[in-house]
Amino acid sequence: MATIPETMISSSQGTRPVPVIALGTATESSIAGIKIVAPSTLVEAIKMGYRHFDTAAVYQTEKSVGEAIAEALRLGLIKSRSEIFITTKLWCNSADRHLVLPAIKQSLENLGLEYVDLYLIHWPIKINYEHVKLPVPKELVTAIDIKAVWEAMEESQNLGLTKSIGVSNFSSQKIQEILSFAKIPPAVNQVEMNPRWQQKQLNEFCKKNNILITAYSPLASFGNYWGNNSVVECDALQDIAKSRGKTTAQISLRWLYEQGVSFVVKSFNKDRMKQNLDIFDWALTAEELNKISQIPQRKLVYLHGFVVKEPNGVTAEIDSKL
């Protein structure tokens, strides 16, 4: 079983550890509610050494994650709930002050847990639509009242429903807005980040403010309908991988680790799940890091086309700054 390094984030208990690799549970079919990740797959991940699982209300996989934790406890793979770190997220249709607590309580009910380790605002928008169905018409998307929502996030931490709170898909400007009034600053900002979208300025800003970046789409979501092969078939990464006897995925994940961030990997193939953990007993050279720093940049994830059918002023601004 692999041992995954940990980094530290702020929490209600002071700084506390978080495994740098999380196993993601979002798929196009789970978001559509068609096929959910099987708990047995997540139990296999626990056997391999995964201890951090990333889910969200919109993924519709919270119940699977909770069932996997219960099964791991029953099998003796873990001794207590505290050995597993769970991240889940507030969906945009609950991004109102009075809806935050009911939303996290629903997530906890789905998970079968008394608390989550990290609760994130999924996107800095409000979707005025009760059902989880993507994409939504642009007229249903409005600006979020971030101060009111963040106050409710702080309340969820103060009540012990989550150990830490944070954001996802937030630019440095929007985080700065939160910092201007927050009693509890964000612990984490989960954003798209990989060698093809390196987020250098945002990472620097977050580090200065003691906010950990968690990178999603570390392989450009290869294998999903919204993803592409821009990382796994990148010539520079392939050259490095060939010379080191590694996969391009391993080079990408090692690069992320060396940027001082955590990251969400998502593969349910046992061999690739194991390969994604085999990145900690070697390092990239200065020459290799320099080569990666020169890779042309290309953003993958936009609200337009994924969350909304057509852009409006709110979504266009977010897409242009993140």
Side-chain angles (χ1 to χ4, degrees):
M1 184 179 74
T3 300
I4 298 174
E6 297 174 326
T7 189
M8 305 299 288
I9 61 170
S10 59
S11 77
S12 56
Q13 302 171 326
T15 55
R16 66 191 302 260
V18 51
V20 298
I21 294 182
L23 186 70
T25 61
T27 66
E28 58 264 41
S29 55
S30 71
I31 291 172
I34 300 169
K35 180 182 178 183
I36 307 301
V37 178
S40 59
T41 300
L42 305 180
V43 171
E44 286 300 314
I46 292 172
K47 290 178 181 178
M48 293 179 195
Y50 287 92
R51 291 295 182 268
H52 182 179
F53 293 91
D54 181 87
T55 183
V58 74
Y59 302 164
Q60 303 187 62
T61 55
E62 291 172 328
K63 288 185 178 180
S64 291
V65 172
E67 289 172 11
I69 295 172
E71 180 66 5
L73 284 165
R74 189 187 70 80
L75 294 173
L77 299 175
I78 54 175
K79 294 179 181 179
S80 71
R81 150 74 180 97
S82 63
E83 293 181 34
I84 301 291
F85 192 102
I86 300 298
T87 297
T88 195
K89 308 177 191 77
L90 175 80
W91 185 235
C92 308
N93 61 2
S94 295
D96 266 329
R97 196 193 197 293
H98 69 287
L99 296 177
V100 173
L101 289 182
I104 189 172
K105 288 176 181 179
Q106 182 61 59
S107 287
L108 291 173
E109 182 179 331
N110 293 341
L111 288 159
L113 300 176
E114 294 182 354
Y115 70 91
V116 290
D117 298 274
L118 178 62
Y119 196 51
L120 306 177
I121 301 174
H122 209 146
W123 283 91
I125 58 172
K126 173 72 170 73
I127 293 179
N128 300 291
Y129 188 60
E130 181 180 351
H131 303 289
V132 176
K133 185 178 181 181
L134 298 176
V136 299
K138 65 179 181 180
E139 57 268 20
L140 297 181
V141 179
T142 56
I144 187 175
D145 183 344
I146 189 58
K147 188 173 189 295
V149 172
W150 191 253
E151 286 173 351
M153 294 288 287
E154 291 177 328
E155 186 178 359
S156 71
Q157 179 171 319
N158 290 332
L159 290 171
L161 303 176
T162 181
K163 301 291 186 183
S164 301
I165 51 177
V167 295
S168 181
N169 301 298
F170 273 56
S171 65
S172 56
Q173 294 96 324
K174 291 196 176 297
I175 293 176
Q176 191 65 61
E177 183 181 351
I178 294 177
L179 294 175
S180 71
F181 55 72
K183 295 178 181 177
I184 303 174
V188 167
N189 184 20
Q190 186 177 127
V191 296
E192 177 189 355
M193 183 176 175
N194 56 59
R196 290 300 308 272
W197 192 243
Q198 297 184 10
Q199 297 279 26
K200 294 177 183 178
Q201 291 182 335
L202 182 59
N203 192 21
E204 182 179 345
F205 169 85
C206 286
K207 284 181 177 179
K208 286 181 179 178
N209 288 280
N210 196 33
I211 299 168
L212 175 69
I213 278 190
T214 297
Y216 70 73
S217 295
L219 308 178
S221 291
F222 182 64
N224 291 319
Y225 77 89
W226 63 81
N228 60 42
N229 60 2
S230 61
V231 169
V232 296
E233 294 186 5
C234 172
D235 290 341
L237 296 176
Q238 285 185 333
D239 289 346
I240 296 170
K242 185 176 180 180
S243 68
R244 298 297 296 269
K246 304 292 182 182
T247 66
T248 51
Q250 288 173 322
I251 298 300
S252 178
L253 297 179
R254 178 68 201 190
W255 176 83
L256 283 166
Y257 180 60
E258 294 188 19
Q259 306 313 301
V261 305
S262 61
F263 42 95
V264 179
V265 297
K266 191 181 63 189
S267 175
F268 306 126
N269 174 283
K270 289 184 180 181
D271 290 338
R272 286 196 292 272
M273 288 167 71
K274 290 178 180 178
Q275 287 176 358
N276 288 341
L277 299 179
D278 187 21
I279 62 168
F280 299 114
D281 60 353
W282 52 279
L284 295 165
T285 66
E287 181 181 355
E288 289 166 343
L289 288 169
N290 182 59
K291 190 171 186 177
I292 293 172
S293 72
Q294 298 178 44
I295 293 174
Q297 296 296 283
R298 177 187 176 187
K299 186 181 177 190
L300 170 68
V301 180
Y302 290 88
L303 281 167
H304 178 211
F306 179 54
V307 175
V308 292
K309 297 177 181 179
E310 299 175 11
N312 62 18
V314 173
T315 62
E317 180 189 15
I318 292 169
D319 280 342
S320 67
K321 292 185 177 180
L322 186 62

